[in-house]
Amino acid sequence: MEPVVHKASASERRLDVSGTAGSVWGIIVAAGTGERLGLDRPKAFAPLGGRPLLAESIDRLDRCPWVDALVIVSAAGWEEPAILLAEEIVATKVVSCVTGGTTRAESVRAGLQEVVDDALVILVHDAARPLVSNAVVERVLGPLGEGYDGVVPVVPVQDTLKRVAGAAVVETVSRTDLVAAQTPQAFLAPALRRGLAGDLTDATDCASLVERTGGRIAAVDGDPWLMKVTTKADLALLEAILAGEG
Ligand code: CTP
Ligand code: MG
């Protein structure tokens, strides 16, 4: 299917990273089917606080002063609803909406095609994490000016971790130096392009691909509110949090 491309004016705001003025592009990946959520539509269009889940990330990143332009990656057949949603929100930074791939990494790769060649920094964000804040965006941008190629927001692992073989516990894994990675993840554009150029097998996030191609990745504080919607229970929890915020 031909990607649906919607052009709007990107913000003129520029962020100064490592002394060079350049633009910060965001890719919102929203092309997953949401199998574990089990609705009749992609997870990005699950209702949350009276609007589709995807609306939250578009709205928050569009209003984020650190972000200049946004690309949305949608499931096949859902490009038009995503564009209409961006228009409804009166998002001013959404430059295009493209069709995703069969894996998250392929969807990121599709979004990357829409990012201009001279973009300096690219943020990749899961639509499934609706509560993205300006503070976390600011935190992930910081280390890019200090010699890092990529930055992931992380939170401590709370549960005790076990390695199992079938029903049997084989080992209790020390969680001392283990953290859970969230999004948005920030990258110097050339490093992300390099990471996404090769084999995408087994990539669960973009940072792992950039690591594989020799990139230096920093970890910064994530945000406990930035949890991912995976199941119906997650959606119900976020619904309650949003109602409390409003
Ligand atoms: N994603 C994507 N393209 C894919 C798979 C995932 O853009 N082929 C996006 C999802 O839309 C989501 C993020 O990557 O915003 C994280 O993926 P996940 O939570 O696994 O979402 P789904 O793959 O949709 O859910 P499930 O694994 O339950 O099917
Ligand atoms: Mg998935």
Side-chain angles (χ1 to χ4, degrees):
M1 181 186 288
E2 275 295 297
V4 177
V5 177
H6 164 79
K7 296 282 176 198
S9 60
S11 151
E12 284 306 303
R13 200 174 181 306
R14 291 289 178 265
L15 178 78
D16 192 19
V17 179
S18 60
T20 323
S23 58
V24 177
W25 281 61
I27 299 175
I28 302 176
V29 282
T33 54
E35 210 173 301
R36 288 168 289 180
L37 191 58
L39 299 183
D40 59 352
R41 67 195 83 171
K43 180 158 72 183
F45 288 89
L48 176 71
R51 57 184 188 172
L53 173 68
L54 173 62
E56 211 60 47
S57 294
I58 299 177
D59 204 351
R60 287 163 182 257
L61 290 176
D62 196 77
R63 285 184 286 114
C64 177
W66 310 112
V67 174
D68 295 305
L70 287 169
V71 174
I72 303 169
V73 185
S74 272
W78 290 83
E79 303 87 347
E80 200 65 36
I83 288 165
L84 291 173
L85 183 61
E87 284 173 355
E88 224 170 273
I89 295 168
V90 199
T92 60
K93 300 176 186 172
V94 176
V95 174
S96 66
C97 179
V98 290
T99 314
T102 51
T103 64
R104 182 185 183 279
E106 283 165 12
S107 293
V108 175
R109 190 183 264 170
L112 208 47
Q113 307 291 324
E114 298 297 305
V115 175
V116 291
D117 287 345
D118 60 355
L120 190 64
V121 169
I122 301 170
L123 291 168
V124 182
H125 182 59
D126 291 338
R129 297 181 188 273
L131 301 185
V132 57
S133 67
N134 288 352
V136 80
V137 171
E138 193 171 3
R139 284 201 293 280
V140 294
L141 291 176
L144 295 180
E146 299 158 9
Y148 286 96
D149 300 297
V151 188
V152 292
V154 300
V155 287
V157 178
Q158 308 287 11
D159 298 321
T160 296
L161 299 175
K162 306 281 187 191
R163 196 179 311 281
V164 293
V169 173
V170 176
E171 186 193 356
T172 298
V173 182
S174 165
R175 63 180 182 208
T176 321
D177 52 4
L178 290 182
V179 290
Q182 302 179 317
T183 73
Q185 300 187 351
F187 303 93
L188 294 179
L192 184 63
R193 291 188 206 279
R194 243 188 335 271
L196 270 290
D199 181 17
L200 303 181
T201 318
D202 296 332
T204 53
D205 72 352
C206 294
S208 63
L209 289 166
V210 175
E211 284 162 40
R212 275 190 217 169
T213 47
R216 285 184 74 207
I217 307 292
V220 297
D221 283 343
D223 183 346
W225 299 110
L226 203 43
M227 69 268 267
K228 184 158 76 84
V229 172
T230 303
T231 63
K232 287 206 167 82
D234 301 325
L235 196 60
L237 187 62
L238 277 156
E239 186 84 48
I241 292 168
L242 272 178
E245 271 191 352

